[in-house]
Short mmCIF file of all heavy atoms in Angstrom, two decimals:
data_model
loop_
_atom_site.label_atom_id
_atom_site.label_comp_id
_atom_site.label_asym_id
_atom_site.label_seq_id
_atom_site.Cartn_x
_atom_site.Cartn_y
_atom_site.Cartn_z
N GLN A 1 133.29 109.76 189.95
CA GLN A 1 134.47 110.49 190.40
C GLN A 1 135.10 109.79 191.61
O GLN A 1 134.49 108.97 192.27
CB GLN A 1 134.08 111.90 190.83
CG GLN A 1 133.41 112.74 189.76
CD GLN A 1 133.39 114.21 190.13
OE1 GLN A 1 134.24 114.69 190.88
NE2 GLN A 1 132.43 114.94 189.58
N THR A 2 136.34 110.19 191.87
CA THR A 2 137.00 109.82 193.12
C THR A 2 137.96 110.95 193.47
O THR A 2 138.01 111.96 192.77
CB THR A 2 137.74 108.48 193.02
OG1 THR A 2 138.22 108.11 194.31
CG2 THR A 2 138.92 108.56 192.06
N MET A 3 138.71 110.77 194.55
CA MET A 3 139.64 111.82 194.99
C MET A 3 140.93 111.17 195.48
O MET A 3 140.89 110.16 196.19
CB MET A 3 139.00 112.63 196.11
CG MET A 3 139.84 113.80 196.59
SD MET A 3 138.93 114.80 197.80
CE MET A 3 140.15 116.05 198.18
N THR A 4 142.05 111.73 195.07
CA THR A 4 143.33 111.18 195.52
C THR A 4 143.52 111.42 197.01
O THR A 4 142.96 112.36 197.58
CB THR A 4 144.50 111.84 194.76
OG1 THR A 4 144.44 113.26 194.96
CG2 THR A 4 144.42 111.53 193.27
N ASN A 5 144.31 110.55 197.65
CA ASN A 5 144.62 110.76 199.07
C ASN A 5 146.12 110.78 199.33
O ASN A 5 146.57 110.69 200.47
CB ASN A 5 143.93 109.71 199.94
CG ASN A 5 144.30 108.29 199.59
OD1 ASN A 5 145.33 108.05 198.96
ND2 ASN A 5 143.47 107.34 199.97
N THR A 6 146.91 110.91 198.27
CA THR A 6 148.35 111.08 198.41
C THR A 6 148.64 112.53 198.80
O THR A 6 147.76 113.39 198.75
CB THR A 6 149.05 110.78 197.08
OG1 THR A 6 148.42 111.57 196.05
CG2 THR A 6 148.95 109.31 196.71
N ILE A 7 149.88 112.80 199.18
CA ILE A 7 150.32 114.18 199.37
C ILE A 7 150.47 114.78 197.97
O ILE A 7 151.31 114.31 197.19
CB ILE A 7 151.65 114.25 200.14
CG1 ILE A 7 151.51 113.59 201.51
CG2 ILE A 7 152.12 115.70 200.27
CD1 ILE A 7 150.47 114.24 202.41
N THR A 8 149.67 115.78 197.65
CA THR A 8 149.65 116.30 196.28
C THR A 8 151.02 116.82 195.85
O THR A 8 151.39 116.71 194.67
CB THR A 8 148.59 117.41 196.16
OG1 THR A 8 147.33 116.89 196.58
CG2 THR A 8 148.46 117.89 194.73
N ALA A 9 151.76 117.38 196.77
CA ALA A 9 153.09 117.89 196.44
C ALA A 9 154.02 116.78 195.94
O ALA A 9 154.99 117.04 195.24
CB ALA A 9 153.71 118.58 197.65
N ASP A 10 153.71 115.54 196.29
CA ASP A 10 154.44 114.38 195.76
C ASP A 10 153.80 114.01 194.43
O ASP A 10 152.92 113.15 194.36
CB ASP A 10 154.38 113.22 196.75
CG ASP A 10 155.23 112.03 196.32
OD1 ASP A 10 155.62 111.97 195.14
OD2 ASP A 10 155.47 111.15 197.16
N ALA A 11 154.24 114.67 193.37
CA ALA A 11 153.59 114.50 192.07
C ALA A 11 153.66 113.05 191.59
O ALA A 11 152.68 112.53 191.05
CB ALA A 11 154.24 115.43 191.04
N LYS A 12 154.78 112.40 191.80
CA LYS A 12 154.95 111.01 191.33
C LYS A 12 153.92 110.08 191.96
O LYS A 12 153.24 109.32 191.26
CB LYS A 12 156.37 110.53 191.63
CG LYS A 12 156.67 109.13 191.10
CD LYS A 12 158.15 108.78 191.37
CE LYS A 12 158.48 107.41 190.78
NZ LYS A 12 157.78 106.32 191.49
N ALA A 13 153.79 110.15 193.29
CA ALA A 13 152.83 109.28 193.98
C ALA A 13 151.40 109.60 193.56
O ALA A 13 150.57 108.70 193.40
CB ALA A 13 152.98 109.43 195.49
N THR A 14 151.11 110.88 193.39
CA THR A 14 149.76 111.29 193.02
C THR A 14 149.43 110.83 191.60
O THR A 14 148.33 110.33 191.35
CB THR A 14 149.62 112.82 193.13
OG1 THR A 14 149.94 113.21 194.47
CG2 THR A 14 148.20 113.26 192.81
N ILE A 15 150.37 110.95 190.69
CA ILE A 15 150.15 110.50 189.31
C ILE A 15 149.95 108.99 189.27
O ILE A 15 149.09 108.48 188.55
CB ILE A 15 151.33 110.93 188.41
CG1 ILE A 15 151.32 112.44 188.23
CG2 ILE A 15 151.27 110.23 187.05
CD1 ILE A 15 152.59 113.00 187.63
N GLU A 16 150.73 108.25 190.05
CA GLU A 16 150.58 106.79 190.09
C GLU A 16 149.18 106.40 190.59
O GLU A 16 148.56 105.47 190.07
CB GLU A 16 151.66 106.18 190.97
CG GLU A 16 153.05 106.22 190.35
CD GLU A 16 154.13 105.74 191.30
OE1 GLU A 16 153.81 105.48 192.49
OE2 GLU A 16 155.30 105.62 190.86
N GLN A 17 148.70 107.12 191.60
CA GLN A 17 147.37 106.82 192.11
C GLN A 17 146.29 107.20 191.10
O GLN A 17 145.31 106.46 190.91
CB GLN A 17 147.13 107.55 193.43
CG GLN A 17 145.87 107.09 194.14
CD GLN A 17 145.75 107.71 195.53
OE1 GLN A 17 145.44 108.89 195.64
NE2 GLN A 17 146.00 106.92 196.56
N ILE A 18 146.47 108.32 190.44
CA ILE A 18 145.53 108.73 189.39
C ILE A 18 145.48 107.67 188.29
O ILE A 18 144.40 107.33 187.79
CB ILE A 18 145.93 110.10 188.81
CG1 ILE A 18 145.56 111.21 189.81
CG2 ILE A 18 145.25 110.36 187.46
CD1 ILE A 18 146.06 112.58 189.43
N ARG A 19 146.63 107.12 187.94
CA ARG A 19 146.65 106.09 186.89
C ARG A 19 145.82 104.88 187.30
O ARG A 19 145.07 104.32 186.49
CB ARG A 19 148.10 105.68 186.62
CG ARG A 19 148.30 104.91 185.34
CD ARG A 19 148.11 105.77 184.10
NE ARG A 19 149.18 106.73 183.93
CZ ARG A 19 148.97 108.05 183.83
NH1 ARG A 19 147.76 108.55 183.89
NH2 ARG A 19 149.98 108.88 183.66
N ARG A 20 145.92 104.46 188.56
CA ARG A 20 145.12 103.32 189.02
C ARG A 20 143.62 103.65 188.97
O ARG A 20 142.80 102.79 188.63
CB ARG A 20 145.52 102.93 190.45
CG ARG A 20 146.92 102.35 190.56
CD ARG A 20 147.16 101.68 191.90
NE ARG A 20 147.12 102.61 193.01
CZ ARG A 20 148.17 103.32 193.43
NH1 ARG A 20 149.34 103.22 192.79
NH2 ARG A 20 148.07 104.13 194.47
N CYS A 21 143.27 104.88 189.30
CA CYS A 21 141.86 105.29 189.26
C CYS A 21 141.35 105.34 187.83
O CYS A 21 140.20 104.98 187.55
CB CYS A 21 141.69 106.64 189.93
SG CYS A 21 142.05 106.63 191.70
N GLU A 22 142.21 105.80 186.91
CA GLU A 22 141.83 105.83 185.50
C GLU A 22 141.59 104.42 184.99
O GLU A 22 140.62 104.16 184.25
CB GLU A 22 142.93 106.51 184.68
CG GLU A 22 143.05 108.01 184.93
CD GLU A 22 144.30 108.61 184.31
OE1 GLU A 22 145.28 107.86 184.05
OE2 GLU A 22 144.31 109.83 184.09
N GLU A 23 142.45 103.48 185.38
CA GLU A 23 142.29 102.09 184.95
C GLU A 23 141.02 101.48 185.50
O GLU A 23 140.41 100.61 184.87
CB GLU A 23 143.52 101.28 185.39
CG GLU A 23 144.78 101.63 184.62
CD GLU A 23 146.03 101.00 185.21
OE1 GLU A 23 145.91 100.32 186.27
OE2 GLU A 23 147.11 101.18 184.62
N ALA A 24 140.60 101.93 186.69
CA ALA A 24 139.35 101.44 187.28
C ALA A 24 138.13 102.05 186.61
O ALA A 24 137.01 101.58 186.82
CB ALA A 24 139.32 101.74 188.78
N GLY A 25 138.33 103.12 185.81
CA GLY A 25 137.23 103.71 185.05
C GLY A 25 136.81 105.10 185.46
O GLY A 25 135.80 105.61 184.97
N ALA A 26 137.57 105.74 186.36
CA ALA A 26 137.19 107.09 186.81
C ALA A 26 137.05 108.04 185.64
O ALA A 26 137.90 108.09 184.76
CB ALA A 26 138.22 107.63 187.80
N ASP A 27 135.97 108.81 185.64
CA ASP A 27 135.73 109.81 184.60
C ASP A 27 136.35 111.15 184.96
O ASP A 27 136.78 111.92 184.09
CB ASP A 27 134.23 110.02 184.40
CG ASP A 27 133.52 108.76 183.98
OD1 ASP A 27 133.83 108.25 182.89
OD2 ASP A 27 132.64 108.28 184.72
N ILE A 28 136.37 111.46 186.25
CA ILE A 28 136.86 112.73 186.77
C ILE A 28 137.56 112.42 188.09
O ILE A 28 137.07 111.57 188.86
CB ILE A 28 135.70 113.73 187.02
CG1 ILE A 28 134.97 114.04 185.70
CG2 ILE A 28 136.20 115.01 187.66
CD1 ILE A 28 133.65 114.79 185.90
N ILE A 29 138.67 113.09 188.37
CA ILE A 29 139.40 112.84 189.61
C ILE A 29 139.67 114.16 190.31
O ILE A 29 140.12 115.13 189.69
CB ILE A 29 140.72 112.09 189.35
CG1 ILE A 29 140.43 110.72 188.72
CG2 ILE A 29 141.51 111.91 190.65
CD1 ILE A 29 141.67 109.96 188.28
N ARG A 30 139.40 114.20 191.61
CA ARG A 30 139.61 115.41 192.40
C ARG A 30 140.94 115.30 193.16
O ARG A 30 141.29 114.23 193.66
CB ARG A 30 138.44 115.60 193.37
CG ARG A 30 138.50 116.88 194.18
CD ARG A 30 137.10 117.32 194.65
NE ARG A 30 136.28 116.23 195.14
CZ ARG A 30 135.86 116.11 196.40
NH1 ARG A 30 136.21 117.02 197.30
NH2 ARG A 30 135.09 115.11 196.75
N VAL A 31 141.64 116.42 193.22
CA VAL A 31 142.94 116.48 193.87
C VAL A 31 142.94 117.64 194.85
O VAL A 31 142.63 118.77 194.49
CB VAL A 31 144.07 116.66 192.83
CG1 VAL A 31 145.43 116.78 193.51
CG2 VAL A 31 144.07 115.51 191.82
N SER A 32 143.30 117.36 196.10
CA SER A 32 143.30 118.41 197.12
C SER A 32 144.49 119.34 196.93
O SER A 32 145.61 118.90 196.65
CB SER A 32 143.37 117.77 198.51
OG SER A 32 143.34 118.78 199.50
N CYS A 33 144.23 120.64 197.08
CA CYS A 33 145.28 121.66 196.94
C CYS A 33 145.33 122.52 198.20
O CYS A 33 144.83 123.66 198.21
CB CYS A 33 145.02 122.52 195.71
SG CYS A 33 145.19 121.63 194.16
N PRO A 34 145.93 122.01 199.28
CA PRO A 34 145.92 122.74 200.54
C PRO A 34 147.01 123.79 200.69
O PRO A 34 146.94 124.63 201.58
CB PRO A 34 146.11 121.63 201.58
CG PRO A 34 146.93 120.61 200.85
CD PRO A 34 146.49 120.66 199.41
N ASP A 35 148.04 123.75 199.82
CA ASP A 35 149.16 124.67 199.99
C ASP A 35 149.80 124.97 198.64
O ASP A 35 149.46 124.38 197.62
CB ASP A 35 150.18 124.09 200.97
CG ASP A 35 150.52 122.64 200.65
OD1 ASP A 35 150.68 122.33 199.44
OD2 ASP A 35 150.63 121.83 201.58
N GLU A 36 150.75 125.91 198.66
CA GLU A 36 151.40 126.31 197.42
C GLU A 36 152.20 125.18 196.78
O GLU A 36 152.30 125.09 195.56
CB GLU A 36 152.32 127.51 197.68
CG GLU A 36 151.57 128.80 197.95
CD GLU A 36 152.52 129.99 198.07
OE1 GLU A 36 153.12 130.37 197.03
OE2 GLU A 36 152.67 130.52 199.18
N GLU A 37 152.78 124.30 197.62
CA GLU A 37 153.53 123.16 197.08
C GLU A 37 152.62 122.26 196.25
O GLU A 37 153.04 121.70 195.23
CB GLU A 37 154.17 122.36 198.22
CG GLU A 37 155.31 123.07 198.94
CD GLU A 37 154.83 124.13 199.92
OE1 GLU A 37 153.63 124.13 200.27
OE2 GLU A 37 155.67 124.96 200.33
N SER A 38 151.36 122.14 196.69
CA SER A 38 150.40 121.30 195.98
C SER A 38 150.04 121.90 194.62
O SER A 38 150.01 121.20 193.60
CB SER A 38 149.12 121.13 196.82
OG SER A 38 149.40 120.44 198.02
N THR A 39 149.74 123.19 194.60
CA THR A 39 149.37 123.81 193.32
C THR A 39 150.58 123.89 192.38
O THR A 39 150.42 123.86 191.16
CB THR A 39 148.75 125.20 193.53
OG1 THR A 39 149.61 126.00 194.36
CG2 THR A 39 147.39 125.09 194.18
N ALA A 40 151.79 123.95 192.95
CA ALA A 40 152.99 123.93 192.11
C ALA A 40 153.12 122.57 191.43
O ALA A 40 153.49 122.48 190.25
CB ALA A 40 154.22 124.24 192.95
N ALA A 41 152.80 121.50 192.17
CA ALA A 41 152.88 120.14 191.60
C ALA A 41 151.70 119.85 190.68
O ALA A 41 151.78 118.95 189.82
CB ALA A 41 152.92 119.12 192.73
N PHE A 42 150.63 120.59 190.86
CA PHE A 42 149.39 120.31 190.12
C PHE A 42 149.61 120.39 188.61
O PHE A 42 149.01 119.63 187.85
CB PHE A 42 148.28 121.28 190.54
CG PHE A 42 146.91 120.88 190.10
CD1 PHE A 42 146.09 120.14 190.94
CD2 PHE A 42 146.42 121.22 188.85
CE1 PHE A 42 144.82 119.75 190.55
CE2 PHE A 42 145.16 120.84 188.45
CZ PHE A 42 144.35 120.10 189.30
N ARG A 43 150.46 121.31 188.16
CA ARG A 43 150.69 121.46 186.73
C ARG A 43 151.22 120.16 186.11
O ARG A 43 150.74 119.70 185.08
CB ARG A 43 151.65 122.62 186.47
CG ARG A 43 151.76 123.02 185.01
CD ARG A 43 152.69 124.22 184.84
NE ARG A 43 152.23 125.36 185.60
CZ ARG A 43 151.31 126.23 185.18
NH1 ARG A 43 150.74 126.05 183.99
NH2 ARG A 43 150.97 127.26 185.93
N GLU A 44 152.21 119.57 186.77
CA GLU A 44 152.76 118.29 186.29
C GLU A 44 151.72 117.18 186.36
O GLU A 44 151.60 116.35 185.45
CB GLU A 44 153.99 117.92 187.12
CG GLU A 44 154.63 116.61 186.71
CD GLU A 44 155.78 116.19 187.61
OE1 GLU A 44 156.21 117.01 188.46
OE2 GLU A 44 156.26 115.04 187.47
N ILE A 45 150.95 117.17 187.44
CA ILE A 45 149.93 116.13 187.63
C ILE A 45 148.85 116.24 186.54
O ILE A 45 148.44 115.23 185.96
CB ILE A 45 149.30 116.26 189.03
CG1 ILE A 45 150.36 115.97 190.10
CG2 ILE A 45 148.11 115.33 189.19
CD1 ILE A 45 149.95 116.40 191.51
N ALA A 46 148.42 117.45 186.25
CA ALA A 46 147.37 117.65 185.25
C ALA A 46 147.84 117.24 183.86
O ALA A 46 147.06 116.68 183.07
CB ALA A 46 146.92 119.11 185.25
#
């Protein structure tokens, strides 16, 4: 596993980072959800 360190509310940046982690072989990726903006973006990210 790994964990993103982008601002989760920035769905584009978070997805781009997830893609790099997937290419490196990540099986599971954790995303921080500190606020409502993050969970709102989470749907698109997932």
Side-chain angles (χ1 to χ4, degrees):
Q1 302 195 26
T2 187
M3 184 174 179
T4 58
N5 58 20
T6 52
I7 301 299
T8 305
D10 185 344
K12 183 176 183 292
T14 303
I15 291 167
E16 288 174 354
Q17 190 173 74
I18 285 172
R19 195 70 70 236
R20 292 193 295 274
C21 295
E22 290 169 338
E23 290 170 357
D27 300 297
I28 299 168
I29 298 174
R30 184 155 43 115
V31 178
S32 181
C33 293
D35 48 42
E36 288 186 69
E37 291 77 15
S38 297
T39 51
F42 194 93
R43 190 177 301 276
E44 179 184 352
I45 295 166

